[in-house]
Each structure stands twice: as C-alpha cells, then as structure tokens.
Amino acid sequence: MVSGEQQAGNGEAIVRHLGRVEYAPTWRAMQDFTARRTPDTADELWLLEHPPVYTQGQAGKPEHLIAATDIPVVPIDRGGQITYHGPGQVVAYVLVDLRRRGYGIRELVTRLEQAVIDLLAAQGVTAARLAGAPGVYVGGAKIAALGLRVKHGCTYHGLAFNVDMDLRPFAAINPCGYPGMAVTDCHALGLALTVSDAERTLTQALQDAIYQANPT
C-alpha cells in the first residue's frame, strides 16, 4: 500500500507526495492499484523522485543503452523506449479512469504535455511539443518525458519533469529511443525552481489539465 500525504484535488483526484522512493515497488503499487480499482475508485496522482534508474518500455530495444553504467535497467510495461529517472527530477504518476473523463489516451498525453508547457510559460520559458516524439522540449532539448499504460480504461505511469538533476546519465542512452537527443532541466535554463516548488506547481498544472473540460 502506497502511503504519503493525501489531499483532495478539486474533487477529482487524491494527490500523494511520496518523497524519494525506489522504482520497482512503486511500479508494482501502480499495477496493484489499477487492478483493484472499481468504477467508484477516485483517481490518484503520485508525485515523487526516484534514485538513479533506467526504465525500458515494453517495446524497448536494448541497443538504446549505448554505454555501460552501474545504474540498473528495469524492463517495464509502459510504452516507449528507455529513459532515466534520478534525484532532482519530479515524477508524476497519473492514475486516471479515462472512462469517466470522456477522452482517450492521446488527449491525455496532449493535456499532460500542456501542463508542463504552461508551467514553464509561467516561468518565462517557451516550451513546445516535437512531432512524433511525445514529451516537452525547450529549444529542441527534452525537459519532460511521457510514458503511459492503459488497462481496462485506466492509466498508470506518467511523466518525468527534469528540474535540477545530474544530466550525465542521459549520455549513456538514446533518450526515449532517439539517438543524439539533447536533454535539459530547469536549472540549466537558469530557473530558480526547487524540486519542492516544481512538484507543487506541477501538481496544480496537472489537476487543471486533466480535469478541466477544455484546458487552454
């Protein structure tokens, strides 16, 4: 059972701030939550950090790990290829019943991307999508990665937002399967956001994006 601070978010989701937690038990908890939920189960948003870990999507190709490291690689059941999680990155797991929302997975991805774009715009940074490569980019460098799984109409996994982290582990992979893709974070862009500030701001942006009928 995942613990953590809980709060009702505009009547739609329970938000849990979990701190820094190991990847594998958190992934299993997402699977368990999704398997147990009923039509009346409230959605949840889990905000957290992970110790250093690479995660490889279900269709992931091992050749996208291009250099040997001591960082573990965990094969998982989301879409996409390989990415890196580590301290200084805010991870938001989005446990949403899409059947209640009235839109599908592609729309959810768009809304999650927009939440990050809006957050950065409020900080004076222009971010954008990149055709064919889900996520959020600043000047062509990825600042947020997305990967989701849908089971019985309900989502898990989510997005990872780079705030103030050691970016060197990204050099050992083709991020999300794209050779040579640049990766950045808020600190590299000159933003003074702390991880706690980013987590709080991202939580509100996600609530707005997911649950508003027509988010801007």
Side-chain angles (χ1 to χ4, degrees), residues 15 18 21-22 32 39 48-49 57 66-67 72 97 104 107 118 121 130 142-143 150 166 204 210 213-214:
V15 178
L18 302 181
V21 292
E22 294 289 339
D32 291 345
L48 52 100
E49 293 177 88
I66 58 177
D97 187 339
E107 174 69 13
D118 291 347
L130 187 63
K142 178 169 278 192
I143 196 167
V150 183
D166 180 359
Q204 187 58 58
I210 294 167
N214 295 292

Side-chain angles (χ1 to χ4, degrees), residues 54-68 73 80-83 170-180:
Y54 294 116
T55 62
Q56 181 75 276
Q58 58 187 348
K61 298 178 180 178
E63 58 264 33
H64 289 308
L65 179 65
I66 58 177
V73 180
Q81 295 286 330
I82 193 167
T83 195
F170 285 105
I173 63 173
N174 293 325
C176 302
Y178 294 92

Side-chain angles (χ1 to χ4, degrees), residues 4-57:
E5 175 189 342
Q6 301 182 41
Q7 64 190 57
N10 69 22
E12 294 289 354
I14 293 170
V15 178
R16 300 185 188 270
H17 299 279
L18 302 181
R20 189 171 297 175
V21 292
E22 294 289 339
Y23 184 84
T26 311
W27 169 37
R28 297 300 181 193
M30 284 191 286
Q31 291 179 314
D32 291 345
F33 174 86
T34 303
R36 291 194 318 267
R37 66 181 303 171
T38 72
D40 297 323
T41 301
D43 292 345
E44 296 196 6
L45 302 177
W46 298 356
L47 282 296
L48 52 100
E49 293 177 88
H50 287 307
V53 63
Y54 294 116
T55 62
Q56 181 75 276

